[in-house]
Amino acid sequence: MTHQTTFATTEDLMANAIRALAMDAVESAKSGHPGAPMGMADVVAVLFSRFIKLDPADPAWPDRDRFVLSAGHASMLLYAVHHLLGYEDMGLEQLKNFRQLGARTAGHPEYGHAGGIETTTGPLGQGLTTAVGMALAERMHNARFGDDLVDHFTYVVAGDGCLMEGISHEAIDMAGHLGLGRLVVLWDDNAITIDGGTELSTSTDQLARFAAAGWHTVRIDGHNKAEIAAALTEARKDPRPSLIACRTVIGFGAPNKQGSSSVHGAPLGPDEIAGARQALNWPHEAFEIPAEIYDAWRMVSDRGRAERHAWACRHQASPLREAFAASLEPPEAEQLHAALSNHKHGLVGAAPNVATRKASELALEVVNATLPNTVGGSADLTGSNNTRSSAMTPVLPGKFGGNYIHYGVREHAMAAVMNGIALHGGFVPYGGTFLAFADYARPAMRLSALMGLPVTYVMTHDSIGLGEDGPTHQPVETLASLRAMPNLKVVRPADAVETAEAWELAVTSATTPTVLCLSRQNLPTVRSNGVETNLTARGAYVLKDVTGERDVTLIATGSEVEIALLAAAALSKAGLNAAVVSAPCFELFAKEDAAYRGEVLGTAPRIGIEAAIRQGWDLFLRPEDSFIGMTGFGASAPAPALYEHFGITPGAVVTTALALTAREDAQ
C-alpha cells in the first residue's frame, strides 16, 4: 500500500511538470493552448510511467510504441513529455522558444522537426486516422515477421474536435471492422470547445458510436490514476480497438479559468499562473523542474532502453532479420528500373490501345512482382481503378498477411491511413479512387506533401473522357488545384509507356507523394522510341519534332496528346511544322534548367491542350499563346460527343494554329 501511495505521488509530480511547462511555454510565447495539456497531464503521465515502450536514444526504433497527439493544438503536452524524457533535440531552450521561428516546437507537432514526433497533426481527426494506418501496418508487419520483431501499440490522444470531424467516422468504422486491437484512443472528454460547452454543437453518445463500430469502450475519471491505469490495462488485453473516455477538466489547476473555454487557446496570464502554482503545490520558477522529477521521467526512458536492447538481441538472432531490415529500406530503384524497362520495350512492340488506368494495372503487375512490400488498395473502386494486380491477396479482419486493402467508400480515411502506413515503415502504400474525389481526400493528401511521404494516389477517370457519369465526376478543375500544392507530383501520362514511367517515379520517390491521373477511355501508344530513358522524369519532352524551324508547338498532357498528334499531322499537310510536346508532370518540368525548358518549348507560338481549365499553364504558355480546354463544368454524354461539344478536337487545334501563325506572319 505504501508503494502504491508513493508511486501515485510520483505520477502527480510527473503530471504537474507537464502542466507547469505547458503554461510557462504558452505564456512565454504569448500564444498557444494550455488547456488540453493541463487537462490530460494525468492520463499521459500514467501512460508513460507504466505502459509506453520507447527509447529517446533511438526515436526510430521499429518496435517502439507510437504516440500520436491527434489534438495537435495541445502540442506543449508532447514537447513537455519529450523534454522530460530526455530527447536530445528537445532541450529547455526549445520549450522557451515555443512557436518561434526556427524552433522545433512549432505551434502544432510537425513530423521531421524533432525526434519522436510520429506524424504532423493539427487538422483535427487526421492524427486519429493516421494512427489507424500505423496500427494496421503494425499488424501487417507482425503477420510477416512475428511477435519477436513486431509487437507494439499505437496510442492516440484525441479531443472532442477530432471526434466531431467527419473523418473520425471513417477511421473508427475501418479500425473496428479490421479489429485493430493494438490501437488505444485516449479521448480528452472535457466537454469544452472554443465556442463554449460541447452541448452547443453535439449530443452524440461517443461511447455508443465507437461500440457500434466494434470498439471496446470505457469511461473513466481522467484525473484518477488508478482508473487510468486500470483502463489502459484492460484496453491492452482486449482484441478490439479501445476508446478510453477520459473525463477531464480543461486547464486543470488554473483556479479561475479551469473548466472553461477561456483556457483552451490563450495564455493564462501571470496572475492565473501564480494561482495555478499554488493550487498544484508547485513552488518552482518558470521552466524549473526539480531533479527528482527528471529522474522519474528518465526511468521511463531507461525502461524503454532495456526493452530496445532486448529487442535488438531477438532481432540479431532472428532468421528473418535481413528481410525485416530490407522491408524498412527504400525500394530497390535499379531492380525496378530494369524490370520496367523490359516492360516498356514490350509495350513498344505490342503498341496497346488501352486506357491508362489499364496501363497502370499492367505496370503494377511488374511493380508488385518486383517489390515485396507494396500495399495496394482502393476506396471501393478496385475494378475501376485497376489497382489490384493478379497475385495480391486482401487484408481481412484478423488476417493481416495480405497486401491489398479494401478501404470502402472512405477516400479521406484511405489517404490518412496510407500516411500512417508510410510513417510506420515496412510498406510502400498506394490507393485508388476517381480523380474528382481527390477533394474528399485532399486534407490528408496535403499532409502527405507537408510531411514528405512517398504515398501514391491512383486517380482514374481523369477528365470529361469518363463520359456519361457527368459533371459531378468530371474533374475539370482538380488538376490545377493539385498542381498548386507544394511538394506533390501530379503525373498525367499519355500512354502505357508514360504510365510505366510514372509508376517508377512514384515508387522510387523519397520525400514526395505522387498523384497518377489516369484515363477511363482507351489511348494509343504514342511512344515508339526512347524507352531506355524515363522521359516522364523530365516533366515534359519533345514527342514529335520537325525538320527545320517550328511554326507552332503543341503541348498536351494525357489523353489530349493523341489530339495534338492528329492535329500536327493535319497541319503538316497544310504546310506548317508543328512539334508536339508531351507534358506529363508540370512539377518535374519546372525543376529542369532554363536551357532544357527552352529547348523543349522553342520560340514559335504555342498551344496548350488539356481537357481541364487553363489555370497553372503559365509554366508553358505566354500571354500571347493559346489554350484549348475547359472553361466550365462538363456534361453527361459519351466521351467523343463531349470532346466535340467542348471544342477539344484536332480540328479546333488546327484552326487555332492557323490563326496563331497568321498573326505571327502579320507581325
Side-chain angles (χ1 to χ4, degrees), residues 56-137:
D58 187 0
W61 169 33
D63 201 37
R64 70 194 180 278
D65 288 340
R66 271 61 170 181
F67 177 71
V68 174
L69 185 64
S70 189
H73 55 275
S75 56
M76 265 311 303
L77 176 65
L78 185 64
Y79 302 146
V81 167
H82 282 194
H83 169 71
L84 293 164
L85 288 172
Y87 280 82
E88 65 177 4
D89 60 359
M90 197 54 68
L92 207 54
E93 286 304 309
Q94 291 295 330
L95 274 57
K96 291 179 178 179
N97 284 286
F98 177 53
R99 287 180 162 234
Q100 304 308 302
L101 185 64
R104 297 185 181 93
T105 46
H108 293 84
E110 301 286 348
Y111 172 73
H113 283 211
I117 299 176
E118 300 287 0
T119 181
T120 294
T121 55
L124 296 178
Q126 288 290 334
L128 168 61
T129 315
T130 302
V132 172
M134 293 176 180
L136 175 56

Side-chain angles (χ1 to χ4, degrees), residues 244-325:
I244 302 176
C246 308
R247 178 51 60 93
T248 60
V249 176
I250 190 170
F252 183 91
N256 302 301
K257 294 185 177 182
Q258 68 176 16
S260 69
S261 58
S262 64
V263 78
H264 168 82
L268 297 181
D271 292 343
E272 188 73 3
I273 288 177
R277 279 184 153 77
Q278 184 174 0
L280 296 170
N281 192 24
W282 187 263
H284 310 293
E285 297 297 320
F287 296 105
E288 180 186 344
I289 305 295
E292 60 269 24
I293 299 179
Y294 275 125
D295 290 343
W297 276 100
R298 301 300 160 85
M299 286 177 65
V300 177
S301 303
D302 292 342
R303 184 185 71 228
R305 185 177 304 110
E307 291 182 290
R308 179 172 64 85
H309 287 161
W311 177 88
C313 292
R314 296 195 303 273
H315 175 263
Q316 183 61 32
S318 173
L320 300 174
R321 65 182 182 277
E322 291 184 4
F324 179 84

